[in-house]
Amino acid sequence: MSFKIVRLDRVCEINPRSPKSLADDEVVSFLPMAAVSEDGFILFEEDREARAVKKGFTVFERGDVLVAKITPCFENGKAARTDALANPVGFGSTEFHVIRAGDEIDSSYLFHLIWNARLRETGKMNMTGSAGQKRVPADFLKRLEIPLPPLPEQRRIAAILDKADALRRKRKRAIDLLDGLTQSIFLEMFGDPIGNPKGFKRGRIGDLLIETQYGTSAKAGGHGAYPILRMGNITTDGKIETEDLKYIDLNARELEKYTVRRGDILFNRTNSADLVGKTAVFDLDEPYAFAGYLVRARTKKGISPYYISAYLNSRHGKATLRGMAKSIVGMANINAKEMASIPILVPDGESQHRYATALEAFGLRQRIFHEQLGLADALFSALQHRALSSGL
């Protein structure tokens, strides 16, 4: 396929001026930075009168492409098409660049040129300003050299990339639905912990445990015999992520004390008021160490660690944790003794086992969906790179 290389400002207008004909009482769409998703679309828009936003905000029109210019929004991928905007004219955050397609370039093709990881890497290297306030300058966009195939080919490329992106979004929606279903299963099987409609006995978390143990306070780094789980490795929805790891060495005496095994509960004892008490069950077979801001808890025979973790991650559990956390200089803390004292419903072992089995089935489905999402992401990235460098 033949195409020419042109500067972006030859085929697009960068940060166009407000239309002179805009009346003060005209209704316009307003987009704060939070309205633009990192997934490349608009989450919401607000109706405003033009007089309220004409000064001090960035103007755009339906069909323009928006891209965040400030760190970390730019690097995170905040950009969107405005084709479906409710009003012909919009205003938004001053931290947006606006790119308006000319006659030679399709707006959807333009969006994919702007919304891709390679451009973000290049843009990041060209940012100006001080740390924390760095921005992509308009001149970077103006000087950007882009491939420009004929318009029909641009539209074909954009349609293929849109389909690949739609596949990724379907996978993400499926994962989100499964995440919501796990909480629904908990409530269906055990009922609301406050009302206790199923009449389970009441106890304390400590009644269900063999032991609790704080993690190691030794400094971790880039090398060591054991990967170490820190508070950032526990997600707010009760999972363990192993993408961002540090490593540590342990001697023979420390090994049993500071490592976790399958079925152990990890409880985040120190964090912000909203995040303290994050809880997850370790479900891997490889040996991992755990850090001092975590508590390891081991359950008695017949008690499901998944039930305890789900209880603490439930809406009622999180409210309980927020109510009991002690704040010191912006950080909240719940120690092992306090965690063990938390009131909990104690269903029979069979009910706990059924819940753990259901959760395991959902976990398997989630892993499959995550693998499929990874493949869809890789396919989209490969297609995007190929399409925007040599064509499809």
Side-chain angles (χ1 to χ4, degrees), residues 234-270:
I234 298 180
T235 68
T236 54
D237 58 348
K239 296 183 180 64
I240 290 176
E241 289 185 343
T242 56
E243 293 178 358
D244 180 22
L245 290 171
K246 290 191 175 181
Y247 296 83
I248 196 168
D249 288 316
L250 298 173
N251 60 41
R253 288 174 303 177
E254 295 170 321
L255 200 56
E256 172 59 28
K257 189 175 183 180
Y258 296 134
T259 56
V260 283
R261 62 189 184 210
R262 181 179 284 273
D264 283 346
I265 297 168
L266 287 173
F267 177 86
N268 181 197
R269 67 182 180 94
T270 301

Side-chain angles (χ1 to χ4, degrees), residues 25-36:
D25 60 353
E26 185 172 336
V27 176
V28 298
S29 295
F30 183 75
L31 301 179
M33 183 61 74
V36 173

Side-chain angles (χ1 to χ4, degrees), residues 298-324:
R298 287 183 174 157
T299 57
K300 293 179 178 177
K301 186 176 181 180
I303 299 298
S304 167
Y306 293 98
Y307 169 70
I308 297 175
S309 177
Y311 190 93
L312 289 172
N313 285 317
S314 70
R315 189 174 299 174
H316 170 70
K318 287 183 183 296
T320 301
L321 292 165
R322 281 194 298 271
M324 67 188 298

